[in-house]
């Protein structure tokens, strides 16, 4: 992983650095060391104003790029556990990873709860517009999200055509639709029986109306045109109920959208790759990459 990080390159999601909607936000960017463990690769960030993309490129690109949206309960964005730690595994198979930070919904940005969606839309459009730089096929760019980042990724997959921000340049004429969405222990639904209370609080508050609940419950936003989906979850997840993946699988299947789901008995929440070692769920990167290879 140290080698992958050393070779990585970072650039801004928005050309001016700070997102246009950040002008109304009072937050200050903070880097948190050792949040997910004791190593130098356990970082997270809060107060994101200028979202960034870090590129982890393989020696021999296979033409497929994956935009990665790590988790953090919509209160922070984890950088390594669900970001840089993925690079050695996916790079070895030729996949180019683009791990991004995104703004958080309760930080006072002009887009409000749609700030993460605005950032992931702009990120996907940017990658598609610049695909040649990384020897990628613009039609073979997907998204992979974890936990609350899974909600951001699934928002891109179901709401890619929604106008989350005002166009600023030619890149915004490019399609934001991902070729596939790979969702790992994702937050999906805002309904009480299924929701992740922390993420729901950050996204729509404690007293949302039925329209807000429906708007941000992504099983209700899926359509026949949603991209193929891959879902991965541990049944014993104590934070984000496995029902989040189940309701998304059911919605996509009913719509006739290609979908595959893997549920593992053990794994808990936030296992990424590192904390999955020694459990049957540790096979998940291979399962995901094998599936992606059949879709793009």
């Amino acid at each position: 992983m140290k080698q992958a990080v050393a070779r990585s390159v970072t650039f801004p999601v928005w050309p001016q650095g700070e997102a246009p909607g950040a002008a109304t936000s009072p937050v200050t960017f903070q880097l948190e060391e050792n949040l997910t463990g004791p190593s130098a690769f356990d970082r997270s960030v809060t107060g994101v104003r200028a979202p960034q993309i870090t590129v982890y490129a393989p020696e021999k690109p296979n033409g497929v790029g994956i935009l990665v949206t790590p988790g953090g309960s919509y209160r922070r964005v984890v950088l390594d556990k669900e970001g840089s730690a993925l690079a050695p595994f996916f790079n070895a198979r030729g996949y180019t990873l683009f791990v991004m930070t995104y703004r958080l919904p309760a930080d006072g940005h002009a887009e409000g709860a749609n700030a993460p969606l605005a950032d992931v839309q702009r990120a996907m459009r940017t990658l598609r517009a610049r695909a040649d730089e990384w020897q990628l096929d613009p039609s073979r760019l997907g998204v992979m999200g974890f936990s609350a980042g899974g909600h951001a990724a699934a928002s891109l997959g179901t709401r890619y055509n929604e106008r989350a921000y005002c166009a600023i340049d030619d890149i915004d004429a490019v399609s934001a639709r991902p070729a596939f969405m790979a969702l790992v222990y994702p937050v999906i639904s805002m309904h009480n029986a299924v929701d992740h209370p922390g993420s729901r609080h950050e996204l729509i508050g404690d007293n949302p109306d039925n329209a807000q609940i429906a708007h941000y419950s992504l099983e209700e936003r899926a359509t026949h045109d949603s991209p193929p989906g891959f879902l991965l979850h541990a049944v014993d997840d104590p934070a984000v109920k496995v029902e989040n993946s189940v309701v998304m699988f059911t919605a996509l299947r009913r719509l006739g959208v290609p979908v595959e789901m893997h549920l593992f008995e053990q794994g808990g929440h936030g296992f990424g790759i590192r904390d999955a070692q020694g459990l049957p769920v540790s096979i998940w990167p291979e399962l995901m990459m094998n599936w992606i290879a059949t879709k793009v």
Side-chain angles (χ1 to χ4, degrees):
M1 190 170 81
K2 290 181 181 178
Q3 291 179 332
V5 171
R7 293 198 313 267
S8 66
V9 176
T10 299
F11 65 92
V13 170
W14 300 93
Q16 66 273 40
E18 284 203 356
T24 63
S25 174
V27 300
T28 302
F29 177 83
Q30 297 285 338
L31 174 66
E32 301 175 314
E33 304 276 4
N34 310 125
L35 186 93
T36 59
S39 82
F41 300 104
D42 282 295
R43 301 165 300 163
S44 67
V45 294
T46 62
V48 176
R49 304 177 61 88
Q52 295 182 320
I53 294 172
T54 299
V55 186
Y56 297 94
E59 291 184 11
K60 297 180 180 179
N62 64 8
V64 180
I66 307 175
L67 178 66
V68 180
T69 52
S73 299
Y74 273 146
R75 293 176 185 146
R76 55 178 44 83
V77 182
V78 172
L79 297 181
D80 297 306
K81 188 177 183 181
E82 296 162 350
S84 64
L86 310 174
F89 295 84
F90 283 82
N91 286 170
R93 286 274 295 268
Y95 291 94
T96 304
L97 295 190
F98 299 89
V99 179
M100 74 175 291
T101 57
Y102 50 88
R103 289 173 298 147
L104 302 168
D107 278 357
H109 300 285
E111 302 92 343
N114 284 339
L117 176 61
D119 293 342
V120 295
Q121 284 183 346
R122 176 70 190 190
M124 180 56 73
R125 289 175 171 133
T126 300
L127 299 188
R128 187 157 280 138
R130 297 173 56 182
D132 286 352
E133 294 180 29
W134 303 288
Q135 301 174 58
L136 301 178
D137 181 338
S139 68
R140 302 171 74 202
L141 301 176
V143 65
M144 181 197 325
F146 297 78
S147 194
H151 189 273
S155 295
L156 182 64
T158 57
R159 301 171 58 199
Y160 54 86
N161 266 340
E162 200 170 304
R163 185 177 173 184
Y165 64 94
C166 295
I168 57 174
D169 57 25
D170 291 345
I171 286 176
D172 290 320
V174 176
S175 172
R177 182 185 183 274
F180 57 85
M181 52 181 173
L183 311 174
V184 184
Y185 38 83
V187 173
I188 294 293
S189 184
M190 296 295 115
H191 289 284
N192 275 325
V194 183
D195 72 342
H196 175 239
S199 297
R200 172 173 148 147
H201 170 78
E202 298 298 315
L203 198 63
I204 55 178
D206 294 326
N207 298 293
D209 59 30
N210 289 337
Q212 287 175 294
I213 292 170
H215 190 76
Y216 293 98
S217 291
L218 303 177
E219 76 275 20
E220 299 185 30
R221 305 306 310 278
T223 70
H224 296 284
D225 295 322
S226 295
F230 179 97
L231 293 148
L232 173 78
H233 222 116
V235 176
D236 67 350
D237 191 322
V240 177
K241 298 180 182 72
V242 69
E243 283 78 11
N244 281 272
S245 286
V246 172
V247 296
M248 192 62 167
F249 172 83
T250 302
L252 293 173
R253 182 170 176 267
R254 284 175 176 167
L255 290 163
V257 176
V259 60
E260 179 165 314
M261 179 169 64
H262 295 270
L263 303 182
F264 288 84
E265 180 187 0
Q266 294 178 284
H269 186 71
F271 48 77
I273 287 181
R274 183 178 59 201
D275 293 350
Q277 299 309 303
L279 295 172
V281 73
S282 65
I283 198 174
W284 78 259
E286 288 296 318
L287 294 173
M288 184 185 289
M289 287 185 280
N290 291 344
W291 174 83
I292 290 171
T294 71
K295 292 292 172 282
V296 293

